[in-house]
Amino acid sequence: MIEKWSLRFRVFLFFALIALMVPALLGSALWIAAGRIGPESVPHLVLWGGTAGFTLIGLVLWVWLKFDDNVVGPINTLSNDLQTLTHTNTEHGVETEPGRYLGLLAPAAREMAAALESARKKVNHEIEEATRKVELQRTRLETTLRDLNEGVLVCNMKHKILLYNRRALNILHYTGEIGLNRSVSNLLSTPSIAHSLEYLTGQLETQQPEQELSAQVVCSTSDGRHIIEGQLSLILDSDERTATGYVVTFDDVTEKLAELAKRDRILRDAVEGLRAPVANLRAATEMLIDNENMDDEGRRQFENVLSEESHHLSKRLQELSQDYREIVTGHWPMSDVYSSTLLNCVVRRFKAEDAIQCLINGDPLWMHCDSLSIVELTERIIRKIAGETSATTFELEPRPEKDKVYIDISWAGELVRSGTIDSWLSESFDECLKGMTGHDILENHKAVIWSEAQTEGMACLRLPLPLAKEDHRSLSFDLPGSGGRPEFYDFDLLKNLDNKQFSERDLRELTYVVFDTETTGLDPSDGDEIIQLAGVRIVNGRILSGEYFNQLVNPGRTIPVTSTEIHHITEAMVSDQPPITDVLPRFHDYVGDAVLVAHNAAFDMKFLQLKEAICGVAFDNPVLDTVLLSAYIHDHSKQHTLDVLAERFGVEIEAQYRHTALGDSIATAEIFLRMIDLMQAKGIHTFADAVAVSEKMVEFRREQARY
């Protein structure tokens, strides 16, 4: 019990005991003296004895204050500096000036800090060498996952995600619901997954290891807009008899199923829809053959039937042929291609000794095509134009127009006639394209090409290609200071930790969302509004650079100039942004059941709570405040601003990200992780411990406010 008391409190008790002993000892001495001298001496003894007693008590109090100021305070400062240096920031200096009366203690502490820093540098060097191979394996894993054409999800048996790849983000149409230690039910309808798990775990219990522990899964996304088909396989523990998780590899088959349904419809229409006109044609033909003596009027009526039914049959066959062609060409293997990559392939086809020179102009664009066949076709067309017009220099430029990307091939010279182009397209390619013609390539891409005149004697041939199917700008995961490599996996989550029962859990095992807001002002109750909301996730002691929330908000009111000077957010920047009623529910989904962390959390939580009713959400998550935690950890200091804490813990905040919601969230997250190390050194291990010391600091601040 006594060991938990602070040094300052124990020293105070020591001097308080001395102060209590003064009246006790002095009173006893005066009582004995009064008995020896007589009653007439009592007034004098009380007067001079009381004066001496109060003087001694005052002297003890003065000595305690000096001792607290010159010994206890410096020792606390020195111990806090040493703990910060030991557990968080090795470059944190040890202040010796406050401990000038402690003799050799402060210089010895500084020497120890220097020795510790030197030793830690050596250890860090060895750790870097030891982890280099691990990082190499990690990079290979990330590269493999990134380049897979299928989406991959790895989950524990509580359906919490512990790995995913970029392809999974694309297939599941990422909007923020996917994340490490979040439920897969946010993304997919789970009955099919639950059934497959039940089947496979039952198969595992029957002790038939020769059977492959995988099953097909077909389900929809949680919004029901896309159909997902894939394979589910169990992850076994080291004993190979216990399932610890599962892997789902999948793809979006929505379009494939739609095409199958369309193909079935074409077949049905071909059988059912053509039956009647064919029957009519047959009947009319038989009537004409069997009735050679039919009068002219009757023969004319049957001939009209033959003409109309033949026209109807021809039209319907053409429609079915077009539908079928669209299905067939839709299955041609294509992918999203960057125009600069494709056009550079064309340029490299013309070697240095070749008389033809190609130049690339314009901004690169993403398009959807079969790059090999388009490169082959473009090369052939350029060579044909050079032979036809004697042009030697060609300019290649991608241009966006409506839903197409036009590859413009320009040269100085005459136009090429359409008949000539058609003859070029009729020629087949070599075995690399299995005898395909230019017409085949264009049909696969549902495209046509033509030649048109440009200004100043320039001609151009235009090749339209489809736009890319995915927005390649939407998945940007580079956080400031993150190094540009997102975190897509954490295999420690196989432990099946439950974040809802967190009070006795270790602080490093919990999932956190560290967030920050930028606002129009400092008074939410008086009409100030949120204009930026951002957050980052911490899972298993790691900041996930691949999972952040960052959104500007239209406040529906003016932004004061004084506020803009701080966060640099103008009214023009938020004018076309969504309102808080759209943003806050998305942030609520992003947070899930995580612990909320903020610097001066009461301020940010007030803004969120005032909008709960109109947004239809409730933030009942537990909250930790880095200001309160810092006030406990560094009780010797009165400075607990974000900038001060960043300097104290060795966290760098880049100038361009300071006073932005995302930049401050990242800085707070870095500081919070370092705080956890320091709190554990002070005996604060669980979430309940952190809440207890936070509440203690709240009460302490309330007591301070009374005086």
Side-chain angles (χ1 to χ4, degrees):
M1 177 65 181
I2 296 178
E3 289 78 6
K4 295 184 179 180
W5 295 348
S6 68
L7 176 62
R8 177 164 282 158
F9 183 63
R10 281 184 281 178
V11 170
F12 170 76
L13 289 180
F14 175 76
F15 279 95
L17 180 62
I18 294 176
L20 290 174
M21 291 297 294
V22 168
L25 293 175
L26 191 59
S28 299
L30 292 176
W31 183 75
I32 295 173
R36 296 287 182 87
I37 299 174
E40 65 278 1
S41 63
V42 171
H44 299 284
L45 292 175
V46 170
L47 175 63
W48 295 106
T51 302
F54 281 111
T55 302
L56 288 173
I57 291 174
L59 181 62
V60 171
L61 180 63
W62 180 80
V63 171
W64 169 70
L65 289 173
K66 289 297 181 181
F67 194 86
D68 183 80
D69 187 45
N70 295 288
V71 178
V72 177
I75 288 176
N76 280 337
T77 301
L78 193 61
S79 62
N80 280 314
D81 287 341
L82 288 175
Q83 283 185 324
T84 301
L85 183 144
T86 302
H87 297 285
T88 58
N89 183 13
T90 57
E91 298 180 358
H92 183 72
V94 176
E95 298 183 25
T96 56
E97 178 59 26
R100 59 187 181 276
Y101 298 118
L102 299 179
L104 296 177
L105 179 60
R110 172 164 283 185
E111 291 175 6
M112 184 182 70
L116 176 62
E117 183 178 358
S118 176
R120 185 163 288 180
K121 286 181 178 179
K122 293 180 180 179
V123 172
N124 287 340
H125 177 71
E126 294 176 0
I127 291 174
E128 288 175 3
E129 289 296 319
T131 56
R132 184 172 56 83
K133 294 182 180 179
V134 177
E135 285 293 319
L136 180 60
Q137 296 295 327
R138 170 179 173 170
T139 302
R140 289 173 178 171
L141 170 64
E142 291 176 348
T143 302
T144 302
L145 289 174
R146 184 184 66 241
D147 294 339
L148 285 176
N149 288 326
E150 291 183 313
V152 178
L153 287 177
V154 180
C155 304
N156 59 28
M157 297 305 287
K158 290 186 178 294
H159 307 293
K160 295 296 182 70
I161 299 170
L162 56 97
L163 178 148
Y164 59 93
N165 64 347
R166 284 182 182 268
R167 181 59 180 158
L169 299 180
N170 294 330
I171 294 174
L172 298 174
H173 306 277
Y174 171 72
T175 57
E177 293 84 0
I178 192 170
L180 298 185
N181 204 29
R182 304 194 71 182
S183 176
V184 74
S185 62
N186 293 336
L187 307 168
L188 303 173
S189 61
T190 54
S192 179
I193 294 176
H195 171 73
S196 297
L197 282 177
E198 182 182 15
Y199 170 76
L200 292 177
T201 52
Q203 190 179 39
L204 184 65
E205 292 171 358
T206 60
Q207 298 183 352
Q208 298 177 7
E210 68 280 359
Q211 297 185 9
E212 185 178 359
L213 294 175
S214 62
Q216 188 178 24
V217 174
V218 178
C219 59
S220 65
T221 54
S222 57
D223 58 9
R225 297 171 60 186
H226 301 274
I227 305 298
I228 303 299
E229 181 182 33
Q231 200 77 9
L232 185 148
S233 303
L234 291 182
I235 300 174
L236 302 182
D237 208 345
S238 57
D239 60 2
E240 295 190 356
R241 304 307 313 166
T242 305
T244 59
Y246 58 91
V247 182
V248 183
T249 56
F250 59 92
D251 205 349
D252 188 346
V253 295
T254 308
E255 291 185 4
K256 179 181 177 181
L257 293 178
E259 289 173 352
L260 289 175
K262 189 174 182 180
R263 184 176 298 180
D264 290 342
R265 180 181 59 79
I266 292 174
L267 181 60
R268 184 176 62 253
D269 289 348
V271 174
E272 301 295 336
L274 301 180
R275 179 180 297 172
V278 169
N280 291 337
L281 284 173
R282 181 177 179 180
T285 304
E286 290 176 351
M287 288 295 295
L288 288 174
I289 294 174
D290 294 341
N291 296 277
E292 296 181 357
N293 299 323
M294 184 180 299
D295 58 72
D296 292 341
E297 180 63 23
R299 180 173 295 275
R300 188 165 49 254
Q301 290 179 357
F302 278 104
E303 288 175 349
N304 288 337
V305 171
L306 288 174
S307 176
E308 291 175 1
E309 293 298 336
S310 297
H311 177 74
H312 175 73
L313 184 61
S314 176
K315 181 181 178 182
R316 188 62 188 137
L317 284 173
Q318 186 176 0
E319 292 174 351
L320 292 174
S321 176
Q322 179 64 29
D323 290 342
Y324 179 74
R325 188 180 298 111
E326 289 181 0
I327 292 177
V328 172
T329 57
H331 284 289
W332 189 259
M334 298 185 190
S335 61
D336 288 353
V337 177
Y338 207 37
S339 64
S340 61
T341 304
L342 184 143
L343 295 180
N344 275 311
C345 290
V346 175
V347 171
R348 286 193 292 270
R349 294 293 182 96
F350 301 96
K351 300 178 181 178
E353 63 271 14
D354 212 323
I356 299 174
Q357 182 182 12
C358 293
L359 305 174
I360 301 176
N361 296 328
D363 297 327
L365 301 169
W366 282 96
M367 50 196 184
H368 192 73
C369 66
D370 170 30
S371 60
L372 174 60
S373 61
I374 293 299
V375 168
E376 292 283 346
L377 178 62
T378 306
E379 180 195 3
R380 171 171 289 185
I381 287 175
I382 290 175
R383 292 192 184 277
K384 292 289 188 180
I385 294 173
E388 182 77 15
T389 65
S390 300
T392 58
T393 302
F394 295 85
E395 296 181 3
L396 310 178
E397 182 175 358
R399 296 176 183 269
E401 292 185 18
K402 296 182 179 180
D403 59 344
K404 299 286 185 180
V405 174
Y406 285 80
I407 303 297
D408 287 353
I409 305 171
S410 303
W411 67 93
E414 299 177 354
L415 288 174
V416 179
R417 293 178 301 173
S418 59
T420 303
I421 296 175
D422 189 67
S423 65
W424 297 344
L425 296 176
S426 299
E427 298 177 8
S428 62
F429 287 83
D430 57 17
E431 60 182 11
C432 73
L433 293 179
K434 299 180 180 179
M436 291 177 60
T437 66
H439 286 300
D440 295 331
I441 296 172
L442 293 177
E443 186 174 1
N444 288 336
H445 291 82
K446 301 177 183 178
V448 293
I449 61 174
W450 67 92
S451 179
E452 62 183 35
Q454 291 185 328
T455 57
E456 300 179 358
M458 296 291 292
C460 174
L461 188 141
R462 311 202 75 189
L463 169 60
L465 296 172
L467 281 172
K469 288 193 172 183
E470 297 170 359
D471 185 358
H472 292 268
R473 300 169 300 171
S474 61
L475 298 177
S476 175
F477 299 100
D478 295 346
L479 288 180
S482 70
R485 184 166 72 177
E487 304 284 359
F488 284 156
Y489 66 92
D490 192 333
F491 290 112
D492 289 337
L493 297 175
L494 280 173
K495 298 174 184 177
N496 293 333
L497 299 176
D498 186 357
N499 201 40
K500 293 183 178 179
Q501 303 298 327
F502 48 77
S503 60
E504 298 304 320
R505 290 258 303 281
D506 189 278
L507 287 169
R508 283 203 169 274
E509 294 180 350
L510 294 169
T511 296
Y512 303 92
V513 168
V514 185
F515 77 103
D516 186 51
T517 61
E518 297 297 336
T519 62
T520 59
L522 303 178
D523 194 348
S525 301
D526 195 32
D528 281 317
E529 300 285 349
I530 296 173
I531 54 177
Q532 187 181 24
L533 179 59
V536 294
R537 286 168 57 80
I538 297 177
V539 176
N540 269 356
R542 294 191 307 169
I543 299 173
L544 302 183
S545 58
E547 301 175 17
Y548 66 88
F549 186 96
N550 185 27
Q551 180 64 59
L552 290 173
V553 182
N554 188 335
R557 54 156 292 176
T558 58
I559 302 176
V561 177
T562 53
S563 298
T564 299
E565 290 175 352
I566 297 174
H567 47 58
H568 306 295
I569 299 175
T570 63
E571 293 183 18
M573 294 169 62
V574 300
S575 61
D576 59 347
Q577 297 298 321
I580 192 64
T581 50
D582 292 342
V583 175
L584 203 58
R586 285 172 44 208
F587 182 68
H588 185 267
D589 292 338
Y590 173 80
V591 172
D593 57 4
V595 177
L596 286 171
V597 180
H599 191 76
N600 194 13
F603 174 81
D604 297 291
M605 289 302 299
K606 184 67 173 178
F607 275 94
L608 300 188
Q609 290 165 351
L610 285 176
K611 298 298 181 182
E612 288 179 339
I614 64 171
C615 295
V617 297
F619 289 92
D620 51 5
N621 307 63
V623 181
L624 289 177
D625 189 341
T626 51
V627 172
L628 297 177
L629 295 176
S630 175
Y632 178 82
I633 296 171
H634 298 113
D635 57 350
H636 65 287
S637 173
K638 295 182 180 180
Q639 299 295 322
H640 303 289
T641 65
L642 189 61
D643 290 312
V644 169
L645 293 187
E647 181 179 358
R648 187 175 295 161
F649 286 103
V651 175
E652 294 185 7
I653 306 177
E654 298 179 36
Q656 65 268 35
Y657 297 117
R658 185 66 180 100
H659 292 301
T660 68
L662 182 59
D664 288 355
S665 295
I666 297 167
T668 304
E670 293 278 5
I671 291 168
F672 178 69
L673 287 178
R674 287 164 170 77
M675 278 185 171
I676 291 178
D677 293 331
L678 202 51
M679 286 191 291
Q680 291 184 335
K682 291 179 174 288
I684 303 168
H685 299 284
T686 66
F687 178 79
D689 295 337
V691 171
V693 298
S694 297
E695 291 177 349
K696 183 183 297 184
M697 296 315 299
V698 171
E699 290 299 322
F700 179 70
R701 288 190 166 193
R702 286 175 181 168
E703 290 297 323
Q704 283 185 323
R706 293 172 57 188
Y707 298 101

